[in-house]
Amino acid sequence: MQKQQEAIIAGYLKKINEVIADIDGAKKQIDQLSLLRIGLFLSEILFFVLLLRSADDSLRTLIQFFLILPVIAFGIVVRRQSRLDRKIDYKKQLLWVYQNEWNILHGIANGYDHGKAFESEQHPYTSDLDIFGASSLFALTNRCSTKTGNMLLAKNFAEKSSRDRILLRQEAIKEITHKIAETYSFRANLHGYDPDKIEQIKMQLKSQLGEQLSFVQGSFMRFYVKLVPYIGVAVMLAALLVNSGFWKILALLVVVHIGWNVLLGQKINKVFYSFGGSSNLLNGYASAILWAENQNWKSSYTKSLLDSKNLVSKEIKALTKIIENFDARLNIIVGGVLNALLLWDLKCCINLDIWYKSSSKDVIVALDHLGDFEELISLATTAYNQPDWVFPVITDQFEFAAIHIGHPLIHEQVRVNNDFRVEVKPTVDIVTGSNMAGKSTFLRTLGINMVLAYAGAPVCARNMQLSVFSINTYMRIKDSLNESTSTFKAELNRLKMILDHVVKDKDTFVLIDEMLRGTNSRDKYLGSKVFIQKLIAEKTPALFATHDLQLADLITGHPEAVRNFHFDIQITGGEMRFDYLVKNGPCKTFNAAILLQEIGLKLDY
């Protein structure tokens, strides 16, 4: 597997170099076109000078013809240069995507959002299992640029799912993993834009645009705006060919048009500033949707995300064209002329209204579903980057069995993997051991892989089978000065939350690390004992990490409901060594005395 991942890294490096070469090539073409533009400008000046100096009518006619050629060529060059600029912008985003994957595989932080906004200490497990925030599961897997994608990924990590849904998502993620080479362009088309802007556009389409465009729904306005280009051409031809007095009529039309625009300016501005300047963003989103539309999807989960009968990418392209036309008003001279002669802003608003009534619903749904694709691609990319991870078997009977399971946030070179399985019936497994021996990491390893499994993702294990549980944890309990909550009170609140969940949901799986730290040792033991007995009575599976060896004796009274495991240390030449491997039975060796002795304190037993 090491060679396989090295090949993946080498593949990313190759793509990085290819994209850099493409960008350099495009920049050279732009430089060449810039020189060509200068040459065309100078040739236009030359032809103009020749025209002024020419006395021959036939030569003047020829020169006038040649005067047009640099202008046409200049326009073609500008368009070509504009396309190259867009290509470079896209390639830069694609470079970022490849570079980010290379970074992640080399232990550098993921450039996508790490999900700190989703952190909650009140959640049943996300805070304890490092699901959100820096150095979290979300930070490792997230490849979402949109707010919708980030929220969906967070939701699938934080909410219980059903077996059927998990299996459908596994199928979809596996399919995308096989298409992973094609997903990078999808991500590049979405990256680099302000996610708030697309949310603003979606909000406009959902609830505001129809009302804002009500002022262009009058039949007379629509008829006149449609007719006005023909009126303008007719009046100008009449002025040139019939009577110069028609220029006054044209001037009157211009005054009327300007007045009309000024009168409706506030309403026009409200529409424009919701969309203005977003053509590049929408082009990128349209390209991403086109990618999704062009795939021959087999997974029913993925197919359900493309439920429109129309090609939504074309509908967004049509919207983009309207917005690009609308953006002409940003140039005061061009916008002024177009509005004076053609009522350009009103024409754009009318076209937008027509588009809104025919296409907006499909586009809203498709823009939301982009987040679904991003979220699936996030987990598929993780599957591709980690070829030694496996998709777990989700069973419909009580089960949890894992072979060679490790913590996904610990680098492979230092990660220690363990085997673990539950009995046929629920048990409370008491895990004892020394400080730093690996108890807490082991509990988090099981929990975080369960979260991955229930999201439909692969897990950091050689093999894993499990049924669907509601995860509840008790690990990092903090006091709160703002809420005047002591550590002990915070612990009680957490215990109550777990007990409530255990009663409501019989499929709860509990992970507890050192319970009741905020009280004395006797109350801690008695409280832990009665809590374990409650879990046994409710037939709730649990792992209970503790330093209290007395709790291991509970197996005597509950031989079928309690199991003992431990993590130990090996002491060689006065030095401690940890293997971080879980073993059967209670712990016999502890390291507190050794650690205290190192700082000058000796215990007398």
Side-chain angles (χ1 to χ4, degrees):
M1 288 298 180
Q2 183 65 31
K3 289 184 178 179
Q4 199 170 349
Q5 192 166 64
E6 287 175 359
I8 291 170
I9 293 172
Y12 283 130
L13 186 59
K14 180 182 177 183
K15 290 293 184 183
I16 289 169
N17 292 330
E18 287 175 356
V19 176
I20 290 173
D22 287 345
I23 293 172
D24 291 340
K27 286 181 177 179
K28 287 178 181 177
Q29 290 183 56
I30 287 177
D31 291 340
Q32 292 169 357
L33 290 174
S34 297
L35 292 173
L36 182 57
R37 286 172 62 176
I38 294 171
L40 290 170
F41 179 72
L42 293 175
S43 65
E44 183 73 5
I45 294 174
L46 176 62
F47 286 134
F48 186 74
V49 171
L50 291 174
L51 180 67
L52 294 177
R53 292 184 176 182
S54 175
D56 189 316
D57 288 342
S58 58
L59 182 60
R60 287 174 66 87
T61 302
L62 183 62
I63 294 173
Q64 286 174 347
F65 172 75
F66 280 115
L67 273 171
I68 300 171
L69 296 180
V71 175
I72 296 172
F74 190 87
I76 294 171
V77 169
V78 168
R79 290 188 63 184
R80 172 64 178 158
Q81 198 166 358
S82 179
R83 284 197 296 270
L84 286 170
D85 283 334
R86 289 196 296 270
K87 178 183 178 180
I88 289 175
D89 288 341
Y90 164 75
K91 289 290 184 178
K92 284 181 177 179
Q93 299 306 325
L94 187 61
L95 176 62
W96 186 94
V97 169
Y98 286 131
Q99 185 68 61
N100 188 58
E101 294 305 320
W102 190 92
N103 289 346
I104 291 170
L105 290 174
H106 284 82
I108 301 171
N110 186 356
Y112 288 93
D113 185 67
H114 52 52
K116 184 173 178 60
F118 303 110
E119 287 183 323
S120 171
E121 292 183 13
Q122 282 69 49
H123 190 274
Y125 60 82
T126 57
S127 179
D128 286 339
L129 298 181
D130 301 309
I131 304 302
F132 303 119
S135 303
S136 68
L137 182 64
F138 193 92
L140 174 69
T141 59
N142 185 31
R143 304 296 191 276
C144 301
S145 295
T146 68
K147 284 190 172 182
T148 304
N150 279 278
M151 291 174 67
L152 283 169
L153 184 60
K155 181 179 180 181
N156 284 312
F157 280 162
E159 294 184 7
K160 185 179 180 181
S161 190
S162 67
R163 179 174 181 268
D164 289 343
R165 184 172 182 273
I166 294 168
L167 294 177
L168 287 173
R169 283 175 56 79
Q170 279 189 353
E171 180 188 16
I173 292 166
K174 288 177 184 178
E175 181 178 19
I176 293 176
T177 304
H178 294 306
K179 297 176 179 283
I180 205 70
E182 303 166 33
T183 64
Y184 303 113
S185 62
F186 174 91
R187 288 165 53 190
N189 278 313
L190 296 180
H191 187 261
Y193 298 112
D194 180 2
D196 290 328
K197 183 62 178 179
I198 197 66
E199 292 301 316
Q200 180 185 346
I201 289 173
K202 283 160 60 176
M203 184 60 67
Q204 278 287 98
L205 296 177
K206 287 177 181 178
S207 59
Q208 299 172 5
L209 187 59
E211 182 180 343
Q212 290 176 354
L213 288 169
S214 60
F215 74 96
V216 295
Q217 293 173 5
S219 55
F220 171 76
M221 178 187 287
R222 288 184 179 241
F223 175 75
Y224 182 78
V225 170
K226 191 174 183 179
L227 198 62
V228 73
Y230 305 103
I231 294 173
V233 170
V235 172
M236 282 190 282
L237 288 174
L240 291 169
L241 303 175
V242 180
N243 191 322
S244 60
F246 280 97
W247 288 115
K248 294 180 181 179
I249 296 174
L250 184 62
L252 179 62
L253 284 175
V254 167
V255 172
V256 171
H257 291 170
I258 293 173
W260 205 353
N261 268 282
V262 170
L263 187 65
L264 297 174
Q266 189 173 357
K267 295 179 179 179
I268 293 171
N269 288 338
K270 188 176 289 187
V271 174
F272 174 76
Y273 287 116
S274 298
F275 292 94
S278 60
S279 58
N280 287 339
L281 177 149
L282 286 170
N283 268 323
Y285 277 60
S287 297
I289 291 173
L290 180 62
W291 173 86
E293 292 171 336
N294 285 342
Q295 301 302 313
N296 183 24
W297 299 112
K298 305 294 184 184
S299 152
S300 57
Y301 187 92
T302 313
K303 284 181 178 178
S304 69
L305 304 177
L306 298 168
D307 49 8
S308 173
K309 296 178 181 179
N310 303 316
L311 285 175
V312 180
S313 56
K314 286 188 176 180
E315 293 177 335
I316 297 180
K317 287 286 187 181
L319 174 60
T320 302
K321 186 65 177 176
I322 295 170
I323 293 171
E324 286 175 348
N325 290 336
F326 216 162
D327 285 343
R329 74 198 307 261
L330 296 173
N331 186 306
I332 297 175
I333 296 174
V334 174
V337 172
L338 289 174
N339 277 309
L341 296 176
L342 303 175
L343 290 172
W344 192 254
D345 286 353
L346 289 177
K347 180 180 176 63
C348 291
C349 287
I350 291 170
N351 289 339
L352 189 57
D353 185 58
I354 294 169
W355 178 92
Y356 173 77
K357 290 175 179 176
S358 65
S359 305
S360 61
K361 290 183 180 179
D362 287 342
V363 169
I364 292 168
V365 173
L367 289 175
D368 282 336
H369 281 329
L370 278 177
D372 289 274
F373 280 104
E374 279 191 305
E375 187 260 343
L376 292 172
I377 287 171
S378 293
L379 300 177
T381 305
T382 303
Y384 175 77
N385 286 351
Q386 304 294 339
D388 54 336
W389 293 14
V390 298
F391 285 89
V393 176
I394 309 297
T395 64
D396 54 6
Q397 299 294 325
F398 176 79
E399 185 173 8
F400 187 105
I403 297 174
H404 217 59
I405 189 170
H407 199 297
L409 302 183
I410 298 176
H411 196 277
E412 184 181 5
Q413 292 180 348
V414 295
R415 182 194 304 147
V416 175
N417 301 314
N418 275 286
D419 297 346
F420 180 79
R421 69 166 49 246
V422 298
E423 296 290 352
V424 177
K425 295 181 180 180
T427 60
V428 175
D429 298 335
I430 298 172
V431 185
T432 51
S434 300
N435 294 299
M436 304 181 296
K439 301 188 303 300
S440 301
T441 300
F442 178 65
L443 264 61
R444 291 191 176 94
T445 296
L446 299 185
I448 198 169
N449 278 290
M450 290 169 77
V451 172
L452 276 169
Y454 298 150
V459 295
C460 183
R462 186 179 297 162
N463 182 277
M464 188 174 181
Q465 294 174 283
L466 74 165
S467 50
V468 180
F469 296 106
S470 294
I471 308 168
N472 272 230
T473 63
Y474 175 112
M475 295 180 184
R476 298 185 180 118
I477 309 300
K478 300 176 183 178
D479 58 2
S480 174
L481 294 176
N482 292 333
E483 298 177 8
S484 299
T485 303
S486 66
T487 300
F488 184 61
K489 181 63 167 63
E491 289 183 303
L492 292 179
N493 292 341
R494 191 72 176 187
L495 290 176
K496 184 178 186 306
M497 181 202 75
I498 293 174
L499 290 174
D500 289 344
H501 287 182
V502 165
V503 172
K504 291 176 184 176
D505 190 342
K506 295 303 179 182
D507 292 322
T508 300
F509 196 107
V510 179
L511 299 169
I512 295 180
D513 185 17
E514 205 60 54
M515 198 174 95
L516 298 175
R517 302 166 205 169
T519 187
N520 62 76
S521 59
R522 176 174 172 75
D523 286 345
K524 175 183 176 181
Y525 165 70
L526 293 175
S528 298
K529 178 181 177 181
V530 73
F531 186 82
I532 291 172
Q533 289 172 335
K534 176 65 174 176
L535 294 178
I536 293 171
E538 294 292 338
K539 298 181 179 179
T540 299
L543 270 79
F544 196 103
T546 181
H547 291 104
D548 198 331
L549 275 178
Q550 293 181 80
L551 293 174
D553 296 335
L554 288 173
I555 194 171
T556 304
H558 306 278
E560 295 184 359
V562 172
R563 300 190 301 175
N564 280 315
F565 296 92
H566 73 277
F567 288 84
D568 62 11
I569 58 172
Q570 294 80 42
I571 302 174
T572 306
E575 293 186 4
M576 296 178 298
R577 299 184 185 278
F578 301 97
D579 60 15
Y580 305 111
L581 294 174
V582 64
K583 302 174 181 68
N584 290 318
C587 185
K588 303 297 183 182
T589 308
F590 289 86
N591 62 0
I594 301 171
L595 292 173
L596 289 169
Q597 190 171 354
E598 285 186 356
I599 64 170
L601 299 175
K602 186 175 181 181
L603 297 182
D604 294 322
Y605 292 99

